[in-house]
Amino acid sequence: MNLLCAALLVAIAVPAAAQEAGQSVPGADQSAPVTLKEITVTGSRIKRTDVEQALPITIIEKEKIDAQGITSAEQLLQFLNVAGNGADGLTSAAVDMDLGELRGTAGVSGANLRGQGSDATLVLLNGRRVATHGLRGQAVDLNSIPFAAIERVEVLRDGASAMYGTDAIGGVINFITRTDYRGVTLNAGVDVTGDGGGNISTYSVLGGVGDLDRDGWNAWGTINYRRAQILRSGQRDFANSFQPDRGVSPDTRGTPFATVTNATGGIINGALIDPDGGGSRRFINILNLPGGAGCENGGDNMGPYDYRLWDGASSKYACAWDYPAAQALQQPQDSVQFLGRATYKMGESHRFYAEAMNSRVKVRREYEPLQLTSSASATAVLDPSTWYPLNADTQPTYDKIYDAMADFFGTGNLVYGNKIPYRWRCVPCGPREIETTTKAYRLLTGMQGIIGRWDYAVGLSHASSKAESVLAGGYYFSDGLKQVLGSGLLNPFLMPGEKQNPAGVSALQAASATGIHLYGGESTVTSLDASFSGGLGFNLWGDEVQLATGFEVRREEFKFGGVQVRNGVPLNYDTIYQAPFDETSDLPKVHRNVKAVYAEAYLPIVKTLDVTLAVRRDQYDTFGGTTNPKYSFKWQPIESLAFRGAYSTGFKVPEFTKLFAGVNEVDYFGLDLADPATCPGGVANSAVPGCALIQPTIITGGKIDLQPETSRQKSVGFVYAPTGKFNVSLDWWEIERTNTIRSPNLPTLIDNYGLFSANWIRDSSGKVIAIDRRFINSGGTLMRGVELDANLTGELAGGRWHANLNGSYINTFKEKPLADESYSGNKVGEYVQFYNLPLKWKHTLSLDWSKGDWTHTLSQIYRAGYKDEEPVSVANGSYIPANWNPDVDDYTLYNYSLSWSGLKNTRLTFAVRNLLDTDPPFTAHQVDFASGAAWEPRVADPRGRSFYLTAEYRFD
């Protein structure tokens, strides 16, 4: 224990990003002369020259970023094969999913390495933390990174909690800016799609004065503006959910020409028996009745409801609407980013610097119009008072609906004069829009230099991310909406070309909730760190022993406002119809303090073998402490071949919302649940003693006693470079996460009743009155894979060419719901809802050729196919569509870019993305539970072929 304490008192600093670019890296021009300097890189504080051999790190230089036409950090992540395929960006997270875990991701682009999620991937700016996004405090928003100032990006493909603490499970992405600059550089670029929509434009200016060596100081700043226009599903033919023969059809009966529902007290009294046989029908759209006009004539994107696919015979005569076609494939975004830095040289060995980062990102999330569904309940928002009435103004429409149903079903179970309950897609309400504005900043001051034989670095920083979401259209106060619906002034049964009553439209507009604050939050982090590194003055058999030591003190704060009151009335999901408020996460400012010490020792055992040992101790004032070591080695038996490997542990602390979110109670109305204490299996069956139906309250929310998730990372690989023209690296890795934080589902609580009996809350008589489904630590995930990078260079036609193959192979992705259970069900190559989609193989194959002022790049981007999600009818065997195919095709794109620097101080870059205009592969996943219809946004780019042109000019 004393030895451990002694080790903890010497600690590794949060590594400063290396500024002496000169090391040989995959993807760089291997023919250029290389001068290896002692540098520090992400994942280590000890300076060394053999970076690529010692660490599994990918370094992407600015020239490579510019040549690909990449203009944002989110775009860069799409090119990285080590990045997971999750709902982490402005495309994949554009879906209307009312899930608590995803609700606060509006406007956020996260980094997700090795499929561990954006909350388990650490993002740094110049080696130090920035604040997580203000809505959930879960992950750093890449949109806040000042991309125009980026000099290079270092991606550590390894666990790094022994260096950085929490969140560094999947890896670390370090965005590194320049340290000094003189002159002025202007840059402008446009990225235009061939099929329209989704265009992107960028503008930036960079300016600096002062020469560090001559004047002893330098100050520079850059500002960048980026605008991405909206891309709607209707602008792309492949985004079509009416493909029932292939297993895709929208599961909605909310249509622009409304569907009549069978609600108690409405126009339908009892069951409507189908004259053609097959039982009763509960959803009737007169357009789809025999002899009707046909669903496709009821409005844009309408068609028959595929009741066979959804195994819903009661909807045989319903219509459906392609609501994904009304969603945004790419959210519109406007962002302004600024970064400035001033450096003052104090003698030859010390530098003082101050850095300021600021950004404002505005994103508008657009969904399809409201679906209005009648309810027979007097307590429902759309109760019987809102149903379509019979009066002098409505009689022509009312009679049309009544007569059509009477002609087919007869009048036996129809009551003329009763109001008509319906399910209607309120197109006059307009699209639902939520606008999120995020303002982020970071202030940093520091000193770095050399004292004797030791390097030192000290930094003090404060960072904030403040976000607010407002209703920007398509949402209405429930009372006003009820009044206009109940009056009959809005007609849900209009055919195309027919216009709404102006009085109804005016009344609807008067009930608009546009501009209402939905929710907002702020995440802040303040930290002080210091580090020292250098040689210890004695050698092992290989070389001098190196040591890096340091400490970090950090305060994290978070607040969230999800409760709003207007005129004394709380604003919520009911008072503003279906507005996705988040009252249960309402938090005053909460905080936690973190103290950490860390140490890293480089031990050159012999000339061909070195070992690096690292350990970090983090102490939280909430749950306590955690110690995480890392052991790594490099063995180089011959000059051209090196083996490397590492083992480490890691952790991820629960975000504030999971700790402190309020309790939410919802009644369970299912007819299938019984008390598992008296009925093994928990399936209600009145004929079985002890299996009587129960309908308890379901409790969800945060728990303050949650513990951190833990992880173990392993890796082993080699680097082989027999000549200066060829090198290859191959790394096997494994990440196991345990103590994972999740909300336990009912099957888990039932099947493991003995373990979770306390979650079944009972009254004094022993009756189950509530089930606790709040967050718990339980279960785990296991992932394994291999990463490949190979480079080959040569000469051709007076120029030099360079070929690079970078790939990622995943062979294991397993889960277990409980800690003492075994992993089961390898999901690699299979569809997974919502989160990370584990593709077996991804690669980028690129070929560069440079001659004089010209550089050409041709690249192939490949994403392996996978087993698709089965439609409901296929899963239960009731119906298989004629062209159903369980295999999703591979996805392959080709990009080409050309750069020219023939004019003084000028560089022009032209790129064509998706050269062959390849559509995303078809997929039949359920469009109700995933972003995108008939395609997968976690894999594919919906923009199609696009043309990118940028011009950069530098004033000396």
Side-chain angles (χ1 to χ4, degrees):
M1 185 65 182
N2 291 334
L3 290 176
L4 175 61
C5 292
L8 293 175
L9 291 176
V10 278
I12 58 171
V14 176
Q19 301 303 330
E20 304 94 338
Q23 67 269 28
S24 173
V25 298
D29 183 359
Q30 302 299 320
S31 65
V34 175
T35 301
L36 291 178
K37 301 179 180 180
E38 287 193 344
I39 62 172
T40 54
V41 297
T42 306
S44 174
R45 179 55 179 168
I46 295 175
K47 291 185 175 182
R48 59 187 72 181
T49 59
D50 55 350
V51 173
E52 172 56 26
Q53 292 182 7
L55 295 170
I57 188 169
T58 299
I59 302 177
I60 309 164
E61 301 286 351
K62 183 179 186 298
E63 290 77 11
K64 195 72 173 179
I65 295 172
D66 292 342
Q68 296 287 342
I70 297 171
T71 59
S72 72
E74 180 185 3
Q75 281 186 334
L76 177 65
L77 265 292
Q78 294 172 354
F79 281 79
L80 289 179
N81 298 302
V82 69
N85 298 98
D88 305 302
L90 298 183
T91 296
S92 55
V95 68
D96 178 17
M97 289 190 292
D98 192 22
L99 296 174
E101 284 299 290
L102 299 175
R103 186 182 306 161
T105 61
V108 180
S109 298
N112 174 7
L113 293 183
R114 288 179 169 173
Q116 298 303 305
S118 57
D119 59 340
T121 299
L122 183 61
V123 175
L124 304 175
L125 177 63
N126 287 334
R128 289 183 170 90
R129 291 176 181 263
V130 292
T132 55
H133 192 256
L135 286 188
R136 291 204 67 83
Q138 179 171 299
V140 172
D141 180 20
L142 297 180
N143 298 309
S144 67
I145 300 296
F147 203 69
I150 298 302
E151 188 70 20
R152 70 180 184 276
V153 180
E154 296 181 352
V155 182
L156 176 66
R157 299 174 282 118
D158 204 358
S161 285
M163 278 70 78
Y164 300 104
T166 184
D167 304 338
I169 293 177
V172 181
I173 298 181
N174 192 1
F175 293 92
I176 299 171
T177 67
R178 61 186 75 239
T179 54
D180 62 84
Y181 180 79
R182 287 181 297 151
V184 176
T185 298
L186 303 178
N187 186 290
V190 292
D191 187 351
V192 180
T193 61
D195 294 327
N199 296 335
I200 300 171
S201 55
T202 59
Y203 308 92
S204 68
V205 58
L206 167 67
V209 294
D211 186 298
L212 270 177
D213 293 328
R214 185 187 63 210
D215 305 322
W217 63 275
N218 176 260
W220 62 270
T222 179
I223 188 168
N224 178 69
Y225 172 76
R226 184 177 189 270
R227 185 185 185 196
Q229 298 178 2
I230 193 170
L231 173 63
R232 294 184 170 90
S233 290
Q235 295 177 281
R236 295 295 182 265
D237 293 338
F238 59 79
N240 171 23
S241 60
F242 272 120
Q243 302 184 60
D245 63 314
R246 304 174 76 181
V248 167
S249 189
D251 182 23
T252 180
R253 285 141 298 192
T255 48
F257 186 99
T259 297
V260 179
T261 63
N262 188 351
T264 302
I267 193 173
I268 302 173
N269 180 30
L272 279 185
I273 304 302
D274 190 348
D276 290 342
S280 64
R281 309 302 178 201
R282 294 187 59 245
F283 297 90
I284 310 298
N285 195 303
I286 66 169
L287 300 179
N288 202 26
L289 292 175
C295 294
E296 60 278 0
N297 294 310
D300 292 339
N301 305 314
M302 275 186 66
Y305 182 83
D306 199 311
Y307 66 95
R308 297 173 302 172
L309 192 65
W310 294 106
D311 198 21
S314 66
S315 301
K316 177 180 177 181
Y317 296 112
C319 293
W321 185 60
D322 188 4
Y323 58 91
Q327 296 177 354
L329 298 183
Q330 174 180 284
Q331 301 175 45
Q333 179 200 60
D334 283 280
S335 63
V336 179
Q337 303 159 338
F338 167 80
L339 181 71
R341 183 181 177 105
T343 305
Y344 178 68
K345 191 174 181 181
M346 304 171 66
E348 292 299 319
S349 302
H350 307 279
R351 292 183 182 182
F352 170 82
Y353 61 90
E355 183 180 286
M357 182 271 286
N358 189 274
S359 69
R360 189 204 68 188
V361 181
K362 183 176 290 187
V363 174
R364 181 171 292 224
R365 219 168 177 182
E366 182 176 301
Y367 313 122
E368 69 278 7
L370 287 168
Q371 176 176 266
L372 305 180
T373 302
S374 301
S375 172
S377 171
T379 61
V381 174
L382 298 184
D383 59 34
S385 69
T386 66
W387 299 357
Y388 195 68
L390 175 60
N391 56 42
D393 294 327
T394 64
Q395 184 168 358
T397 296
Y398 187 99
D399 288 348
K400 180 175 68 173
I401 302 301
Y402 178 88
D403 292 344
M405 291 194 297
D407 288 345
F408 184 69
F409 292 104
T411 60
N413 286 330
L414 296 177
V415 181
Y416 185 84
N418 280 7
K419 293 181 179 181
I420 302 176
Y422 53 83
R423 186 168 291 180
W424 179 40
R425 188 65 63 170
C426 185
V427 173
C429 293
R432 289 173 291 163
E433 296 175 293
I434 297 175
E435 186 174 86
T436 300
T437 301
T438 303
K439 298 178 181 179
Y441 70 85
R442 190 184 75 172
L443 302 175
L444 168 68
T445 61
M447 285 279 295
Q448 61 185 34
I450 302 174
I451 300 176
R453 293 167 47 87
W454 287 75
D455 298 320
Y456 75 92
V458 180
L460 174 64
S461 67
H462 176 74
S464 166
S465 173
K466 186 175 184 179
E468 179 190 27
S469 292
V470 299
L471 301 179
Y475 290 96
Y476 299 86
F477 286 97
S478 299
D479 288 344
L481 185 62
K482 289 172 65 174
Q483 291 176 10
V484 67
L485 292 175
S487 69
L489 292 175
L490 280 183
N491 188 346
F493 302 102
L494 288 184
M495 294 293 288
E498 297 178 332
K499 294 185 178 180
Q500 291 286 347
N501 185 334
V505 174
S506 178
L508 181 65
Q509 292 174 346
S512 173
T514 297
I516 291 294
H517 172 91
L518 186 61
Y519 40 57
E522 182 178 13
S523 172
T524 61
V525 57
T526 305
S527 64
L528 170 67
D529 64 81
S531 64
F532 306 89
S533 63
L536 293 183
F538 66 91
N539 292 16
L540 295 179
W541 296 272
D543 204 344
E544 185 180 15
V545 175
Q546 303 285 321
L547 180 70
T549 69
F551 70 87
E552 179 185 9
V553 179
R554 190 169 75 246
R555 182 181 178 91
E556 299 171 349
E557 298 173 300
F558 181 74
K559 62 180 179 180
F560 182 86
V563 175
Q564 306 297 319
V565 177
R566 184 177 184 182
N567 298 328
V569 178
L571 302 182
N572 53 39
Y573 188 88
D574 292 330
T575 55
I576 298 180
Y577 188 65
Q578 292 189 0
F581 287 94
D582 194 5
E583 313 93 291
T584 60
S585 295
D586 191 69
L587 288 176
K589 181 177 287 189
V590 291
H591 72 272
R592 58 188 170 210
N593 296 317
V594 187
K595 300 176 182 178
V597 290
Y598 27 72
E600 180 186 18
Y602 170 67
L603 308 175
I605 307 299
V606 294
K607 186 176 181 180
T608 60
L609 174 66
D610 58 65
V611 174
T612 301
L613 307 178
V615 64
R616 174 172 171 133
R617 173 73 177 182
D618 289 84
Q619 188 73 32
Y620 284 74
D621 62 0
T622 50
F623 65 85
T626 176
T627 302
N628 293 276
K630 182 170 184 175
Y631 315 94
S632 61
F633 77 92
K634 186 201 71 177
W635 176 48
Q636 191 170 1
I638 57 177
E639 185 176 355
S640 60
L641 177 65
F643 296 91
R644 62 190 179 195
Y647 172 85
S648 64
T649 66
F651 72 102
K652 185 181 83 68
V653 297
E655 55 264 35
F656 289 108
T657 50
K658 288 180 179 177
L659 289 168
F660 300 108
V663 174
N664 188 32
E665 298 183 359
V666 178
D667 292 333
Y668 183 79
F669 292 109
L671 303 176
D672 56 346
L673 185 61
D675 186 347
T678 58
C679 183
V683 178
N685 186 341
S686 59
V688 178
C691 291
L693 172 68
I694 61 173
Q695 293 182 312
T697 299
I698 304 297
I699 300 174
T700 57
K703 292 184 72 174
I704 61 174
D705 59 351
L706 291 175
Q707 296 297 302
E709 296 186 10
T710 57
S711 67
R712 289 197 299 262
Q713 291 86 213
K714 306 173 186 176
S715 66
V716 63
F718 70 86
V719 179
Y720 180 54
T723 72
K725 296 184 177 181
F726 172 74
N727 65 70
V728 60
S729 66
L730 188 72
D731 291 280
W732 172 90
W733 58 270
E734 175 185 283
I735 300 175
E736 182 181 19
R737 290 172 69 174
T738 54
N739 219 30
T740 53
I741 299 173
R742 62 191 181 90
S743 175
N745 56 31
L746 284 177
T748 298
L749 296 177
I750 293 170
D751 295 341
N752 302 276
Y753 175 76
L755 182 63
F756 293 107
S757 59
N759 292 63
W760 299 77
I761 302 171
R762 304 174 183 273
D763 61 15
S764 58
S765 68
K767 178 184 176 181
V768 176
I769 58 174
I771 301 175
D772 187 352
R773 289 192 54 211
R774 289 178 295 169
F775 289 111
I776 61 172
N777 290 100
S778 180
T781 61
L782 178 67
M783 290 191 71
R784 297 190 185 102
V786 176
E787 291 158 1
L788 167 71
D789 193 89
N791 297 274
L792 183 65
T793 63
E795 297 181 359
L796 177 67
R800 296 201 60 85
W801 59 268
H802 168 231
N804 171 255
L805 173 63
N806 182 274
S808 173
Y809 173 79
I810 298 176
N811 69 347
T812 302
F813 176 38
K814 296 181 179 181
E815 295 180 295
K816 59 179 180 180
L818 300 174
D820 58 353
E821 292 186 347
S822 300
Y823 291 104
S824 61
N826 192 355
K827 296 182 179 180
V828 173
E830 297 182 1
Y831 181 83
V832 176
Q833 280 187 355
F834 303 140
Y835 303 110
N836 193 68
L837 182 61
L839 302 183
K840 182 169 289 187
W841 172 252
K842 303 192 299 182
H843 77 244
T844 301
L845 176 63
S846 63
L847 177 64
D848 302 333
W849 182 74
S850 299
K851 181 179 180 181
D853 300 321
W854 299 88
T855 299
H856 302 258
T857 301
L858 178 65
S859 60
Q860 178 198 67
I861 299 174
Y862 173 85
R863 303 292 182 256
Y866 53 93
K867 290 292 182 182
D868 209 350
E869 180 184 34
E870 292 183 343
V872 172
S873 65
V874 175
N876 63 28
S878 63
Y879 168 70
I880 299 178
N883 295 315
W884 158 249
N885 183 354
D887 297 317
V888 177
D889 292 338
D890 301 339
Y891 182 55
T892 306
L893 298 181
Y894 292 90
N895 298 332
Y896 169 76
S897 67
L898 171 65
S899 295
W900 179 67
S901 54
L903 292 177
K904 182 182 178 182
N905 298 338
T906 302
R907 183 180 181 88
L908 301 177
T909 300
F910 173 73
V912 183
R913 293 200 186 94
N914 195 351
L915 195 62
L916 304 182
D917 200 18
T918 302
D919 284 342
F922 173 83
T923 171
H925 63 241
Q926 297 183 34
V927 296
D928 276 340
F929 302 105
S931 181
W935 71 289
E936 179 50 74
R938 292 175 294 177
V939 175
D941 182 354
R943 299 176 73 241
R945 182 190 291 133
S946 68
F947 305 90
Y948 172 80
L949 177 64
T950 184
E952 182 177 281
Y953 183 80
R954 174 169 178 168
F955 297 89
D956 291 331

